[in-house]
Amino acid sequence: MNAPAKIETTLKDWETDQEVRWCPGCGDYAILKAVQRTLPQLGVDPANTVFISGIGCSSRFPYYMESYGFHTIHGRAPALATGVKLANPELNIWLVTGDGDGLSIGGNHMMHVLRRNVDMQIMLFNNEIYGLTKGQYSPTSRVGTPSPSTPRGSVDAPANPCAFALGSGARFVARGFDVSKNLPDVLKAAHAHRGAAFIEIFQNCIVYNKDVFDDFAAPKGAEDRQLWLEDGKPMLFGSEKSGGVKGLALDTETLAFRVVDVPDGDWESAGVRVHNAKNRVTAHLLAELPFGPYPMALGVLYDDPAPTFSDSVIAEHEAASKGKEANLAKLLGTGQTWTVDGTAQDPV
Ligand SMILES: Cc1ncc(C[n+]2csc(CCOP(=O)(O)OP(=O)(O)O)c2C)c(N)n1
Ligand code: SF4
Ligand SMILES: [Mg+2]
């Protein structure tokens, strides 16, 4: 299959005339701009691009993209998107979902789109709350989150979206956050991957879960609390200006990462590991790194392509139909058939 010709667009070409109905200051605005800024760099054609969402504040996204789009039903965007991809594999599909839409009601559908490896970019806006329905706790809310449905604080352990994606068999797993300048690079990497590319995007719900990501997303001291992964590069964070450069080394006894100091930039002597995005084991460790003792692992955690669902399904259909004529009437008359006599008034 030839790669589609690159199309020249600008950010403006991806904006719609719809009134954007998110609360002032919502992190969704920054994600929208990041996507609208990234698409021209990818050279993709709006006429060949589809944004498909479920239900939630995040799922209003397709209204604001000048492309094709479906605002579907709660949790079911993966099913719709799978159908769209099979019907027209040339389309560039972006699925937009939230932590509630994608991991509560739609958790099951999310698992299957990932394990089937349907070729699309999946952006899960994680604000750790149900924004649209006025702030109930979600499957990613931290223990102790007070909400209308958990007035004394939630008691259940949160799901980790990236660990969920890896556990479901995803071949691309990445993380970013709404206002990060690196978000476009994460989106570009996801688009370059053939297959289901899962991106968790931390998003500030300024009304119902304000600033819960500030511990790592706030600009002050960010270099100490964010580990931006780059394939083939040592896993380093911090700086000489802050508490010194640090890195992640693998403890082979406990099979866990540990934070090590990197004096004089000599990361090799400090035992710092080089990030290998094809290593599924370290991807799991990075997804599960507890924030606090460790920095937040961001960027591309895992990227190891495998055959996609649409390619395999289409190849199977082509092999099955090779040399055969397409004749629906003949097909319907094949095998066991019945002739039903009688009428509604005089049933047999
Ligand atoms: C079948 C069904 N059940 C429940 C709802 C109510 N509902 C709408 S959005 C939503 C949760 C959205 O949360 P999330 O996906 O995190 O999106 P956010 O608003 O936070 O972006 C719920 C429970 C619904 N619309 N349909
Ligand atoms: S409720 Fe939260 S997520 Fe929804 S638009 Fe407002 S700030 Fe954004
Ligand atoms: Mg949410």
Side-chain angles (χ1 to χ4, degrees):
M1 190 169 30
N2 295 326
K6 296 227 170 198
I7 302 286
E8 264 193 40
T9 59
T10 64
L11 184 151
K12 288 265 165 249
D13 294 320
W14 294 92
E15 287 178 346
T16 64
D17 57 4
Q18 299 284 307
E19 181 201 345
V20 184
R21 294 225 203 121
W22 290 315
C23 309
C26 173
D28 288 349
Y29 287 97
I31 304 174
L32 178 65
K33 274 282 166 281
V35 172
Q36 288 170 333
R37 203 171 293 134
T38 305
L39 290 172
Q41 297 175 38
L42 296 175
V44 292
D45 184 351
N48 249 343
T49 302
V50 193
F51 281 80
I52 302 177
S53 65
I55 300 289
C57 297
S58 34
S59 288
R60 295 190 57 76
F61 207 88
Y63 293 121
Y64 311 135
M65 293 302 303
E66 189 65 42
S67 67
Y68 288 97
F70 286 99
H71 185 193
T72 73
I73 46 176
H74 204 15
R76 270 49 181 171
L80 264 288
T82 301
V84 171
K85 190 71 194 179
L86 284 180
N88 187 349
E90 302 297 313
L91 293 178
N92 169 31
I93 299 181
W94 297 77
L95 191 146
V96 187
T97 185
D99 42 311
D101 187 67
L103 293 173
S104 289
I105 193 166
N108 180 15
H109 288 260
M110 182 61 74
M111 177 179 92
H112 297 298
V113 77
L114 294 170
R115 77 170 174 81
R116 282 176 155 169
N117 200 25
V118 190
D119 189 18
M120 66 182 74
Q121 294 69 243
I122 301 171
M123 299 190 288
L124 187 143
F125 293 17
N126 184 8
N127 54 15
E128 299 187 358
I129 211 80
Y130 290 177
L132 188 77
T133 48
K134 300 200 187 302
Q136 299 85 354
Y137 87 130
S138 89
T140 58
S141 299
R142 293 166 210 188
V143 173
T145 299
S147 80
S149 50
T150 52
R152 293 170 192 216
S154 59
V155 294
D156 39 328
N160 175 327
C162 288
F164 172 87
L166 283 166
S168 302
R171 309 295 306 189
F172 180 102
V173 175
R175 268 201 199 122
F177 60 92
D178 46 14
V179 292
S180 166
K181 66 175 179 13
N182 295 342
L183 185 57
D185 289 337
V186 177
L187 299 174
K188 280 186 235 167
H191 185 260
H193 174 95
R194 261 181 75 76
F198 180 87
I199 315 145
E200 176 186 18
I201 306 176
F202 297 113
Q203 173 248 324
N204 192 13
C205 171
I206 197 155
V207 175
Y208 297 111
N209 216 12
K210 190 170 186 274
D211 298 340
V212 279
F213 305 114
D214 261 12
D215 283 350
F216 63 85
K220 194 156 182 280
E223 67 267 41
D224 295 323
R225 290 178 264 111
Q226 298 174 12
L227 167 64
W228 282 96
L229 298 160
E230 279 184 80
D231 193 29
K233 299 268 174 67
M235 295 194 272
L236 295 170
F237 60 100
S239 71
E240 295 300 352
K241 274 195 288 167
S242 59
V245 178
K246 296 187 169 50
L248 291 189
L250 190 63
D251 187 324
T252 49
E253 271 302 301
T254 58
L255 294 182
F257 281 125
R258 69 190 151 79
V259 174
V260 292
D261 289 324
V262 181
D264 308 321
D266 187 358
W267 57 269
E268 278 172 309
S269 303
V272 173
R273 214 178 152 85
V274 169
H275 180 48
N276 173 5
K278 285 194 163 39
N279 188 325
R280 209 169 168 81
V281 174
T282 51
H284 274 281
L285 294 178
L286 290 165
E288 302 257 19
L289 271 188
F291 177 70
Y294 296 90
M296 179 58 73
L298 296 159
V300 180
L301 278 62
Y302 182 62
D303 183 0
D304 190 14
T308 72
F309 186 63
S310 46
D311 284 353
S312 305
V313 169
I314 289 163
E316 193 178 62
H317 285 187
E318 278 174 2
S321 58
K322 201 164 181 196
K324 295 183 189 147
E325 57 165 332
N327 186 333
L328 185 62
K330 200 169 148 197
L331 180 70
L332 292 175
T334 308
Q336 288 183 307
T337 57
W338 292 266
T339 303
V340 181
D341 293 322
T343 62
Q345 288 76 31
D346 181 18
V348 288

